[in-house]
Amino acid sequence: MLVSEYFSNLGNDYAQVVPLTVFVAVLCLCLIIGHLLEENRWVNESITAILTGCLAGAIILVLSKGKNSHILTFNEELFFIYLLPPIIFNAGFQVKKKHFFQNFLTIMLFGVVGVFISLIIITAGSWWLFPKLGFVGLTARDYLALGTIFSSTDTVCTLQVLHQDETPLLYSLVFGEGVVNDATTVVLFNTIQKLDVSRLDSRTILPVVGDFFYLFLTSTALGVVAGLVTAYVLKTLYFGRHSSVREISLMVLMAYFSYMLAELLQLSGILTVFFCGILMSHYAWHNVSESSRITTRHVFATMSFIAETFIFLYVGMDALDIEMWRVTKLSFGTSMGIYSTLILLILLGRAAFVFPLSTLSNYMNRKAERTPVITFKHQLIIWWAGLMRGAVSIALAFKQFTYSGVTSDPINATMITDTIIVVLFSTLVFGFLTKPLIRYLLPHQETIKISRRESVPPKEDLDVPLLSLEESVGTNMSRAKDSLSRLIESPVCIIHFYWRKFDDAYMRPIFGGPVSTPMDC
Amino acid sequence: MLVSEYFSNLGNDYAQVVPLTVFVAVLCLCLIIGHLLEENRWVNESITAILTGCLAGAIILVLSKGKNSHILTFNEELFFIYLLPPIIFNAGFQVKKKHFFQNFLTIMLFGVVGVFISLIIITAGSWWLFPKLGFVGLTARDYLALGTIFSSTDTVCTLQVLHQDETPLLYSLVFGEGVVNDATTVVLFNTIQKLDVSRLDSRTILPVVGDFFYLFLTSTALGVVAGLVTAYVLKTLYFGRHSSVREISLMVLMAYFSYMLAELLQLSGILTVFFCGILMSHYAWHNVSESSRITTRHVFATMSFIAETFIFLYVGMDALDIEMWRVTKLSFGTSMGIYSTLILLILLGRAAFVFPLSTLSNYMNRKAERTPVITFKHQLIIWWAGLMRGAVSIALAFKQFTYSGVTSDPINATMITDTIIVVLFSTLVFGFLTKPLIRYLLPHQETIKISRRESVPPKEDLDVPLLSLEESVGTNMSRAKDSLSRLIESPVCIIHFYWRKFDDAYMRPIFGGPVSTPMDC
């Protein structure tokens, strides 16, 4: 008897009760295991969640006597509407804006140009190699989709390994790239779906690029507007006088609204909600009461954490999708060939842009004294940390190769199982080696991290300001005199300087937040 | 062209994007209007939400040219699985346990015996009066269901008018009754669905009562166990050392898990999650870090607030359900007759138990010096505050009279529209008059409330202890010497005394929380 049948025999009315109960229980379990393994030097949260998911899937498979391993079929709607927004919003809300904008150019190079390079290599490589392995039947659009799917890095997993305070440069680069990458791949994927692949020349490519930049700018603008409106409403009405509940609700709802509106208008919700998060932490967060500040900060992190764990659990459970495996009709050798090819192409595609673009970035920033150089060790870590593929890949694969999560076509089923295998392999193997790699390449940061963790009592965490823009007020004053000469050295610094002036003179008084010291760069 | 068609022509992939976007936008609007009207002496949050919902429904109706007023059909699953649990959990988490347990007997009288009395009066009354109005076709089970549906009070709306600090007795009575009432009606409703109504005598009634008490006890036990497990895990593993995110996640997930498990086991999830909330605030809350305490307190309140507003918006939007109104085939006179009859029966049914049971409660507590007497003014307010009918009524009506929110039977459609009208009328009219009534009957509390609001700065709110058990530590010492003599006077006090001793000696050391002064009653 199927497990689900057994439970439905219990007589409950709602179809979702059983899967939800199981999922919540497994989530709790996962959380506790993740906590117990936190000090472990190999395992990270994603790996824990994926393995717990696999285990839960296996148990359900055994209980249902080999018929069914997952109780919820993969649902892109669930993923894109409910799970992704909190993760990206929290990323924008918690990011240290100073580092992010200091490295803006490099991040854009990695996140936009990098994805195009990776897409070309993976598409061309698979187009050339798949037929040689005896795997045919994919259309030109499928190959292009494949390139996009496997160019999408998994930010979530990476962030669990890198830490904002220890390696600020690496963190901001990898994280910033991840967000831009998310947006780029989703936008590119949608563009490819609409593309007329039969007539692919320079005249059809140009509008695609134009379309892409249009989406990029409008999505960002929408996020900025949503953030500013929230800040203005919070400042004008001053909710805190009566209830912090309303303040928190308004921030959560407006963030979600910006995402949904972007999706409705066919923009990139990811970019929108990311910039909404940045604007909210820059302005809106300063207009709420003390308790709301503490609460929002923790609540966004918690929502993001639950969504991430949920996604990885899901991926783990999905790996044992028996139906999908049955539909696939490839021999073991061919399958292994495809997996190896894809992983090789991912390694190559990423190397092909990380090292050249880093050098380019270093060359561009050679005059800026305070913009740190990306050393070769850093480049290695950036390359490695972005190799993991995650839930975005799976969601896009399901979108391209299935109809509502189901497919009966062997080729499509193969592509789904391939994606799952690549995601599992990259998260488990690459993820497993990331912590040791960072420790090996940057041994200094690791020791700082350990001593910091042990010495700082958890309570102090409470009052640490969220925003790094304000963090160096004290030290800035002493540096003020030599900063004018530095301003001339770097264009980024000049932009930053004028933005600061504008921010203090016009934005802060309207939208809230403390006025910063003007001479910091 | 339908609005939904227009939006789907925009080409988005997901069916839920449009309704969700509209809903979130209307929620934001509602929140701001609610804030602006807060100082108003008539309107409360529920009324604002219902009216905003009606307005939004009307706009959609006009935009869709009279075809459709709501973009989401009413879904009991959404209500019972996602919206109700946070409301009830928050209620348990924030309730002042001292008052709740002090008045436990009275609350149980109102919440259990009261519902039975009200059920009998409404069922008998409608059975007798409906045929006289020319409305026939309801079965015996329908009449019984009707009695249950209209015996369910709406706690949410009431709590927005009464305040815990100003009228502790009234608040604990009305609120406590509301929670027990919620549980009783849902359990009774499910029992009636299974009942063989053709053979209704004393021998079939007794098992129903037994069943009811069995459900009551097992549901409570499940909630208590879930709360204790959470407290124990939090105390043993001490998550706070590393991340408050895990602590908050665990509390949220365990609370939700207890609800879902209760639903899965056919128990009353409402009771379970309520007691889980009480236990969590009594033990688990003390085991987490300072920032997690502030966060959880605000987060549960926020979730509850959003869910409540969502429900009232929904009810408002649902009122203009054109399809349902078309199916109904009654004349205007008959409809008005039915509405008036139902409202009259609700007024009668509630009066029939509030006044006698209050007198009974006063008689039982006559020897207990410190248990306050329920004066006639209090009784009037209790009677009035419980007249509002809310989302539980609507959810049960949809469960009884529709199949997945749709019905083509005129009689069933009439029952749905009747329920909506009664809910709207009671919330708007009775709700509208509650604030002035309380101000008229208890003028003193009102002035305290106003002065308190104006003088206390919002920041102090941050550190007010959540739990009232600890609140009177200072004053208790002076009363310690005469409390032994008082112990003998009241059985509630004796139970409380021994529970305190047991709690301090065994429970607190295992599950966490500060040890209280032993002699307080």
Side-chain angles (χ1 to χ4, degrees):
Chain A
M1 191 164 68
L2 283 171
V3 180
S4 51
E5 273 177 34
Y6 168 73
F7 280 119
S8 68
N9 286 347
L10 277 174
N12 73 74
D13 300 323
Y14 310 122
Q16 292 168 17
V17 170
V18 179
L20 266 175
T21 314
V22 175
F23 238 101
V24 173
V26 177
L27 260 176
C28 284
L29 194 73
C30 196
L31 213 139
I32 294 170
I33 296 172
H35 171 73
L36 293 174
L37 290 177
E38 189 165 56
E39 290 305 298
N40 190 295
R41 47 184 296 149
W42 301 91
V43 176
N44 62 43
E45 212 103 57
S46 315
I47 296 179
T48 316
I50 283 196
L51 291 180
T52 315
C54 278
L55 192 73
I59 291 170
I60 296 169
L61 196 69
V62 169
L63 283 178
S64 67
K65 296 193 177 150
K67 279 188 184 164
N68 213 338
S69 77
H70 52 164
I71 36 178
L72 292 167
T73 49
F74 192 90
N75 191 342
E76 315 123 50
E77 186 155 321
L78 176 78
F79 177 73
F80 280 110
I81 295 190
Y82 299 105
L83 299 176
L84 201 54
I87 298 177
I88 305 292
F89 176 75
N90 182 55
F93 195 80
Q94 315 269 8
V95 73
K96 292 205 168 166
K97 292 182 292 299
K98 192 178 172 180
H99 296 295
F100 183 78
F101 285 108
Q102 217 165 35
N103 301 307
F104 190 69
L105 219 65
T106 317
I107 288 169
M108 292 304 286
L109 271 180
F110 284 163
V112 181
V113 182
V115 168
F116 276 94
I117 294 174
S118 169
L119 163 70
I120 290 166
I121 287 180
I122 293 173
T123 303
S126 53
W127 205 324
W128 179 52
L129 288 170
F130 277 9
K132 298 204 172 185
L133 289 164
F135 182 65
V136 286
L138 291 177
T139 64
R141 181 176 279 126
D142 286 343
Y143 280 116
L144 278 171
L146 215 63
T148 331
I149 289 167
F150 290 112
S151 295
S152 133
T153 63
D154 180 39
T155 337
V156 178
C157 190
T158 317
L159 292 191
Q160 286 166 357
V161 180
L162 291 171
H163 291 272
Q164 189 153 232
D165 309 309
E166 296 142 23
T167 50
L169 172 71
L170 271 181
Y171 182 90
S172 66
L173 284 182
V174 171
F175 171 73
E177 187 214 327
V179 173
V180 180
N181 175 298
D182 267 348
T184 314
T185 43
V186 172
V187 171
L188 259 183
F189 185 81
N190 290 335
T191 315
I192 286 168
Q193 301 254 307
K194 288 180 226 151
L195 202 68
D196 184 3
V197 279
S198 56
R199 302 183 290 107
L200 210 65
D201 55 36
S202 60
R203 267 172 306 170
T204 51
I205 293 292
L206 265 182
V208 170
V209 175
D211 206 36
F212 176 78
F213 279 102
Y214 167 77
L215 276 182
F216 206 95
L217 290 178
T218 43
S219 304
T220 307
L222 184 63
V224 169
V225 169
L228 288 180
V229 166
T230 314
Y232 186 74
V233 168
L234 282 173
K235 191 174 159 73
T236 318
L237 298 181
Y238 190 37
F239 284 95
R241 209 174 7 164
H242 296 307
S243 76
S244 48
V245 165
R246 280 216 188 81
E247 295 174 337
I248 302 164
S249 307
L250 194 76
M251 284 174 82
V252 173
L253 289 174
M254 280 300 291
Y256 193 59
F257 178 65
S258 74
Y259 181 85
M260 295 304 284
L261 195 64
E263 288 291 310
L264 197 67
L265 300 173
Q266 298 269 295
L267 305 175
S268 162
I270 293 174
L271 264 181
T272 304
V273 83
F274 177 71
F275 277 96
C276 185
I278 289 187
L279 268 283
M280 277 206 192
S281 80
H282 193 61
Y283 298 114
W285 192 73
H286 294 281
N287 300 334
V288 301
S289 64
E290 180 65 24
S291 52
S292 294
R293 282 185 216 177
I294 298 169
T295 306
T296 44
R297 200 183 141 203
H298 284 91
V299 126
F300 296 147
T302 305
M303 276 162 37
S304 168
F305 175 77
I306 292 179
E308 283 165 21
T309 315
F310 193 96
I311 289 171
F312 281 105
L313 260 181
Y314 214 95
V315 170
M317 274 183 157
D318 225 59
L320 296 167
D321 187 342
I322 285 300
E323 295 302 316
M324 213 58 100
W325 287 101
R326 276 200 195 120
V327 176
T328 315
K329 282 171 184 160
L330 291 185
S331 69
F332 182 72
T334 316
S335 302
M336 290 311 283
I338 292 176
Y339 305 149
S340 326
T341 311
L342 282 173
I343 287 165
L344 201 75
L345 287 172
I346 289 172
L347 285 162
L348 258 179
R350 191 162 174 84
F353 76 83
V354 167
F355 299 105
L357 293 180
S358 298
T359 316
L360 179 67
S361 163
N362 283 338
Y363 178 77
M364 289 195 304
N365 289 322
R366 71 194 181 283
K367 282 183 183 166
E369 197 180 299
R370 295 190 62 212
T371 308
V373 173
I374 308 169
T375 64
F376 184 69
K377 280 183 178 179
H378 284 153
Q379 295 179 20
L380 264 181
I381 291 176
I382 293 171
W383 172 64
W384 188 265
L387 287 176
M388 282 162 267
R389 298 294 172 264
V392 174
S393 297
I394 291 194
L396 293 180
F398 268 86
K399 212 169 172 180
Q400 172 74 11
F401 298 111
T402 70
Y403 185 76
S404 304
V406 180
T407 183
S408 54
D409 179 45
I411 290 169
N412 286 348
T414 308
M415 293 324 298
I416 298 289
T417 52
D418 285 352
T419 313
I420 292 172
I421 290 291
V422 170
V423 167
L424 282 182
F425 181 86
S426 66
T427 309
L428 293 179
V429 177
F430 297 154
F432 203 62
L433 294 173
T434 310
K435 266 191 189 179
L437 184 80
I438 293 173
R439 194 168 302 166
Y440 174 73
L441 290 174
L442 303 168
H444 181 59
Q445 273 81 359
E446 190 57 25
T447 52
I448 291 174
K449 170 186 161 192
I450 287 167
S451 64
R452 190 185 59 87
R453 272 225 176 141
E454 280 164 3
S455 63
V456 177
K459 217 203 141 197
E460 270 188 35
D461 225 18
L462 194 66
D463 306 312
V464 173
L466 183 65
L467 307 170
S468 61
L469 279 180
E470 284 77 49
E471 73 190 352
S472 47
V473 171
T475 55
N476 288 336
M477 296 309 288
S478 63
R479 291 205 305 261
K481 52 180 185 285
D482 63 318
S483 63
L484 258 179
S485 61
R486 221 184 295 122
L487 263 182
I488 304 149
E489 291 171 18
S490 159
V492 174
C493 219
I494 293 172
I495 295 168
H496 197 199
F497 175 79
Y498 281 109
W499 159 247
R500 228 13 131 62
K501 273 186 92 169
F502 175 72
D503 194 30
D504 288 339
Y506 301 102
M507 303 295 277
R508 293 280 190 191
I510 300 172
F511 299 109
V515 174
S516 50
T517 48
M519 297 306 279
D520 180 37
C521 173
Chain B
M1 192 163 69
L2 284 172
V3 180
S4 52
E5 273 176 35
Y6 169 74
F7 280 119
S8 68
N9 286 347
L10 277 174
N12 73 75
D13 301 322
Y14 310 122
Q16 291 168 18
V17 170
V18 179
L20 266 175
T21 314
V22 175
F23 238 102
V24 173
V26 177
L27 260 177
C28 284
L29 194 73
C30 197
L31 211 140
I32 294 170
I33 296 172
H35 171 73
L36 293 174
L37 290 177
E38 189 166 57
E39 291 303 299
N40 191 294
R41 48 185 296 148
W42 301 90
V43 177
N44 61 44
E45 213 104 56
S46 317
I47 296 179
T48 317
I50 283 197
L51 291 179
T52 315
C54 277
L55 192 72
I59 291 170
I60 296 169
L61 196 68
V62 169
L63 284 178
S64 68
K65 296 193 176 149
K67 278 186 184 164
N68 213 337
S69 77
H70 53 163
I71 36 180
L72 292 167
T73 48
F74 192 90
N75 189 343
E76 315 123 50
E77 187 156 319
L78 176 78
F79 177 73
F80 279 110
I81 295 189
Y82 300 105
L83 298 176
L84 200 54
I87 298 177
I88 306 291
F89 176 74
N90 182 55
F93 196 80
Q94 315 270 8
V95 73
K96 293 206 168 166
K97 292 182 293 298
K98 191 178 172 181
H99 295 296
F100 183 79
F101 287 108
Q102 216 165 38
N103 301 309
F104 191 69
L105 219 65
T106 318
I107 288 169
M108 292 303 287
L109 271 180
F110 284 162
V112 180
V113 182
V115 169
F116 277 93
I117 295 175
S118 169
L119 163 70
I120 290 166
I121 288 180
I122 294 173
T123 304
S126 52
W127 205 323
W128 180 53
L129 289 169
F130 277 9
K132 297 203 173 187
L133 290 163
F135 182 66
V136 285
L138 291 177
T139 63
R141 182 177 279 124
D142 287 342
Y143 281 116
L144 278 171
L146 216 63
T148 331
I149 289 167
F150 290 113
S151 294
S152 135
T153 63
D154 180 40
T155 337
V156 179
C157 190
T158 317
L159 293 191
Q160 286 167 357
V161 180
L162 292 171
H163 292 270
Q164 191 155 231
D165 309 309
E166 294 143 24
T167 49
L169 173 69
L170 272 182
Y171 181 91
S172 67
L173 284 180
V174 171
F175 171 74
E177 187 213 328
V179 172
V180 180
N181 174 297
D182 266 347
T184 313
T185 43
V186 172
V187 171
L188 259 183
F189 185 82
N190 290 335
T191 316
I192 286 169
Q193 301 254 307
K194 288 180 225 152
L195 202 67
D196 183 5
V197 279
S198 57
R199 299 183 292 108
L200 211 66
D201 55 35
S202 59
R203 267 171 306 169
T204 51
I205 293 292
L206 263 183
V208 171
V209 176
D211 206 35
F212 176 79
F213 280 102
Y214 167 75
L215 276 181
F216 206 94
L217 290 177
T218 44
S219 304
T220 308
L222 184 63
V224 169
V225 168
L228 289 181
V229 166
T230 315
Y232 186 73
V233 168
L234 282 172
K235 191 174 162 72
T236 317
L237 297 181
Y238 190 34
F239 285 94
R241 210 175 5 163
H242 296 304
S243 77
S244 48
V245 165
R246 280 217 188 81
E247 294 173 339
I248 303 164
S249 305
L250 195 77
M251 283 174 84
V252 173
L253 289 173
M254 280 300 290
Y256 193 60
F257 179 64
S258 76
Y259 182 86
M260 295 303 285
L261 195 65
E263 287 292 308
L264 197 68
L265 300 173
Q266 299 266 294
L267 304 175
S268 162
I270 293 174
L271 264 181
T272 303
V273 84
F274 176 72
F275 277 96
C276 185
I278 290 187
L279 268 281
M280 277 206 192
S281 79
H282 194 59
Y283 299 114
W285 193 75
H286 294 280
N287 300 335
V288 299
S289 64
E290 181 65 23
S291 52
S292 295
R293 280 185 218 179
I294 298 169
T295 306
T296 43
R297 200 183 141 203
H298 284 92
V299 125
F300 296 147
T302 305
M303 278 163 35
S304 168
F305 175 77
I306 293 179
E308 282 166 20
T309 315
F310 194 95
I311 289 172
F312 281 107
L313 261 181
Y314 214 97
V315 170
M317 275 182 156
D318 224 60
L320 296 167
D321 187 342
I322 287 298
E323 295 302 316
M324 212 59 100
W325 288 101
R326 275 197 198 124
V327 176
T328 315
K329 282 170 184 161
L330 289 185
S331 70
F332 182 73
T334 317
S335 300
M336 290 310 284
I338 292 175
Y339 305 150
S340 328
T341 312
L342 282 173
I343 288 164
L344 200 76
L345 287 173
I346 289 172
L347 284 162
L348 257 180
R350 190 160 174 86
F353 75 83
V354 167
F355 300 106
L357 294 181
S358 299
T359 316
L360 180 67
S361 163
N362 283 339
Y363 178 78
M364 288 194 305
N365 289 322
R366 70 195 182 283
K367 281 183 183 167
E369 199 181 298
R370 296 191 59 212
T371 308
V373 173
I374 309 169
T375 63
F376 184 68
K377 281 182 178 179
H378 284 153
Q379 295 178 21
L380 264 181
I381 291 175
I382 293 171
W383 172 66
W384 188 265
L387 286 176
M388 282 162 268
R389 297 295 172 264
V392 173
S393 297
I394 291 194
L396 292 180
F398 269 84
K399 210 170 174 180
Q400 173 75 13
F401 297 111
T402 69
Y403 185 75
S404 303
V406 180
T407 183
S408 54
D409 179 47
I411 291 171
N412 286 347
T414 308
M415 293 324 297
I416 298 288
T417 52
D418 285 353
T419 312
I420 291 172
I421 289 291
V422 169
V423 168
L424 281 181
F425 181 86
S426 66
T427 310
L428 292 180
V429 177
F430 296 155
F432 204 62
L433 294 173
T434 309
K435 266 191 188 179
L437 183 80
I438 293 174
R439 195 169 298 167
Y440 174 74
L441 289 175
L442 304 167
H444 181 58
Q445 274 82 359
E446 190 57 26
T447 52
I448 292 175
K449 168 185 159 191
I450 288 167
S451 63
R452 190 185 59 88
R453 273 223 175 144
E454 281 165 1
S455 62
V456 178
K459 218 204 139 195
E460 270 189 33
D461 225 19
L462 195 68
D463 307 311
V464 172
L466 183 65
L467 307 170
S468 62
L469 278 179
E470 284 77 48
E471 74 189 350
S472 47
V473 171
T475 53
N476 288 336
M477 296 311 287
S478 63
R479 291 206 305 263
K481 53 178 186 285
D482 62 318
S483 63
L484 258 179
S485 61
R486 221 183 295 122
L487 265 181
I488 304 148
E489 291 171 17
S490 157
V492 175
C493 220
I494 294 171
I495 295 167
H496 198 201
F497 174 79
Y498 282 109
W499 157 248
R500 228 13 130 64
K501 274 187 90 167
F502 174 72
D503 194 30
D504 289 338
Y506 302 102
M507 302 296 276
R508 293 280 191 192
I510 300 172
F511 299 109
V515 173
S516 51
T517 48
M519 295 306 278
D520 179 37
C521 173

